[in-house]
Amino acid sequence: MQALRRLSPRKAFITLFAAIFASAAAGEVENSIITTPGVNSERILFGQSAAFSGPAGELGKSMKAGILAAFKEVNDNGGINGRRLELRSLDDAYEPEAAVTNTQQLIEDGVFALIGAVGTPTSQSAVPVTEANDVPYMAPMTGAEYLRDNTRHTVINLRASYYQETEEMVERLTTDMGYDRIAILYQDDSFGRAGLQGVLLALERRKLSAAGTGVFPRNTIAVKTALLDLRAMEPQAVIIVGPYKPTATFIKWARRLRMDPIFMTLSFVGSNALAKELGTEGAGVLVTQVVPFPTGDTINATASYRAALKAFDPAIEPGFISYEGYLAGRLAAHVVSHCGKQISRDCINSVLRTDDSISLDGFKLRYGKDDNQGSDSVFLTVIGPNGKYSPVTSLTSVASLTGALHSQ
């Protein structure tokens, strides 16, 4: 104030006005940060609606563990510009109605974005809610084409699609093994039908049709009728589109009935849970994956994931689903770190939709103006006689190992 007195009245007025304007502008920036939902000076809050109970419960638990491991890793290193990443999770039991209720609740609770949803039917029900509220829907654990429609402006996919997984399956069965009698068992919902359509399209591209189809209701293990129908078709391979409990039930009953084609299933099955459910009857079962082998060393992200998971909970065994959750958490951290201090929901697409390659410790993603899916990678794995997974490059290479893959 004394400095102002030494100035002429005109200069004093200009100086005082400039100071008031600068102070107001600073307050405006601070307020805009605070009023961004889920963001304040101390934290960035994400929300998750996923299955933590029911037949798909292990999938949600694994996805959540991976996200929290990534968030802990970030927070232990100072967070994002001093802000902690936090996650609020609600159980939808893999039911679409519960997913809608949870999504509405999380938005009302003021989360910044939704992350790590589990399943196609639940996501298909929740996305209209996020779109109506302009809330980002990041890294859902589903490969449904519905979510890859670029008009879904709130959706940011991490993983490859079910069409890409089923294309890999059919390519390996027809090229490596020379099979032409491929049957399909699918769950009677939008997830199952998405996988079914992917297989049918892949077969059609090779001028083939399905040897037979079987169907079972969601959130059940009622697969016996479908099993008997498919058994009568004598398929060389059965592609299964469902979570781990009905998939394991089908395979175990098939083994007892001496039906022993190649069994192959999608990443959504929950690989660790499937191997546990199958026990000694899992040898030779093939699973496509959308992340690298979790105990491998092909990229640095895998070692980072294992270290982060161990720091979060040493009792959790590394697996494909928690690895996907970890990468989802790393993607979220990447986005908000590149938004700068002025974090808003709009900055997510601004950061990602650039056609530039993104590397999460070697796991490569690329989005674009008309592309909301980051990774196109699909990996094939097989359960060995010891119940452990191994990576696969060709089906012929695992036939002698398991004794469960048969050539014509």
Side-chain angles (χ1 to χ4, degrees):
M1 187 61 77
Q2 296 217 359
L4 286 175
R5 287 191 189 124
R6 290 195 291 268
L7 298 173
S8 68
R10 182 175 178 276
K11 287 186 178 179
F13 174 78
I14 292 172
T15 303
L16 184 59
F17 179 84
I20 293 171
F21 180 80
S23 177
E28 214 174 86
V29 172
E30 183 177 349
N31 288 337
S32 69
I33 293 173
I34 292 172
T35 57
T36 299
V39 180
N40 61 32
S41 60
E42 297 180 351
R43 72 169 188 181
I44 305 169
L45 177 64
F46 290 82
Q48 180 190 29
S49 176
F52 302 116
S53 62
E58 290 303 315
L59 307 183
K61 292 174 185 175
S62 295
M63 196 72 176
K64 178 182 177 181
I67 295 169
L68 288 175
F71 281 9
K72 175 177 168 56
E73 179 184 61
V74 171
N75 294 339
D76 287 350
N77 285 284
I80 305 296
N81 292 318
R83 297 184 177 96
R84 294 179 56 80
L85 301 182
E86 296 184 3
L87 181 68
R88 182 172 299 166
S89 300
L90 298 176
D91 181 17
D92 59 35
Y94 196 43
E95 291 293 349
E97 297 82 3
V100 169
T101 301
N102 289 352
T103 301
Q104 291 170 332
Q105 182 63 57
L106 290 165
I107 291 172
E108 289 173 10
D109 290 347
V111 299
F112 172 65
L114 277 292
I115 190 172
V118 171
T120 301
T122 46
S123 292
Q124 193 164 351
S125 298
V127 163
V129 180
T130 65
E131 288 180 330
N133 292 274
D134 287 323
V135 177
Y137 196 78
M138 300 184 68
M141 186 191 158
T142 167
E145 290 301 308
Y146 166 83
L147 297 176
R148 283 147 181 84
D149 178 350
N150 202 50
T151 62
R152 306 291 170 198
H153 64 278
T154 65
V155 179
I156 299 295
N157 294 293
L158 173 74
R159 54 156 46 217
S161 72
Y162 291 147
Y163 281 12
Q164 289 170 309
E165 288 192 68
T166 52
E167 169 64 25
E168 178 67 13
M169 290 177 172
V170 174
E171 172 64 15
R172 296 276 65 80
L173 290 170
T174 56
T175 300
D176 296 355
M177 306 301 290
Y179 285 180
D180 58 9
R181 297 197 311 278
I182 300 170
I184 311 157
L185 173 70
Y186 67 98
Q187 184 167 269
D188 190 14
D189 64 2
S190 53
F191 160 54
R193 289 187 289 275
L196 169 67
Q197 184 65 14
V199 177
L200 293 177
L201 288 171
L203 289 171
E204 184 180 326
R205 283 190 285 271
R206 294 159 176 84
K207 302 186 185 310
L208 298 172
S209 57
T213 59
V215 63
F216 64 93
R218 184 181 69 247
N219 270 349
T220 75
I221 56 171
V223 297
K224 290 184 183 177
T225 299
L227 169 61
L228 294 175
D229 290 343
L230 292 179
R231 183 190 182 207
M233 304 296 175
E234 298 185 350
Q236 298 160 306
V238 179
I239 293 175
I240 304 173
V241 187
Y244 59 93
K245 279 188 178 293
T247 297
T249 301
F250 180 90
I251 293 171
K252 287 191 285 188
W253 274 104
R255 304 276 202 221
R256 291 168 195 171
L257 293 176
R258 298 186 183 279
M259 175 187 174
D260 200 20
I262 289 180
F263 295 110
M264 186 176 279
T265 188
L266 293 162
S267 60
F268 184 83
V269 73
S271 300
N272 284 22
L274 176 65
K276 184 176 180 181
E277 287 282 332
L278 285 171
T280 57
E281 295 176 282
V285 174
L286 292 142
V287 186
T288 50
Q289 311 291 351
V290 294
V291 298
F293 208 74
T295 57
D297 58 3
T298 55
I299 58 173
N300 292 335
T302 309
S304 300
Y305 152 71
R306 291 196 299 267
L309 189 67
K310 183 177 182 180
F312 171 68
D313 187 343
I316 299 178
E317 181 183 356
F320 295 95
I321 304 299
S322 59
Y323 192 0
E324 184 175 346
Y326 171 78
L327 291 170
R330 286 287 302 271
L331 176 62
H334 171 87
V335 169
V336 294
S337 68
H338 284 74
C339 285
K341 292 185 177 180
Q342 182 75 356
I343 296 175
S344 70
R345 288 169 171 167
D346 290 340
C347 77
I348 293 179
N349 278 322
S350 299
V351 169
L352 294 179
R353 301 295 194 100
T354 63
D355 286 322
D356 292 334
S357 178
I358 298 168
S359 177
L360 304 178
D361 268 359
F363 187 76
K364 297 296 180 62
L365 303 172
R366 186 186 293 274
Y367 297 90
K369 182 181 178 182
D370 298 315
D371 184 4
N372 68 355
Q373 177 181 300
S375 172
D376 297 312
S377 298
V378 177
F379 310 87
L380 187 58
T381 62
V382 65
I383 303 176
N386 61 355
K388 303 295 184 181
Y389 284 89
S390 298
V392 174
T393 55
S394 169
L395 295 192
T396 56
S397 68
V398 297
S400 61
L401 170 66
T402 66
L405 305 180
H406 306 299
S407 59
Q408 287 181 295

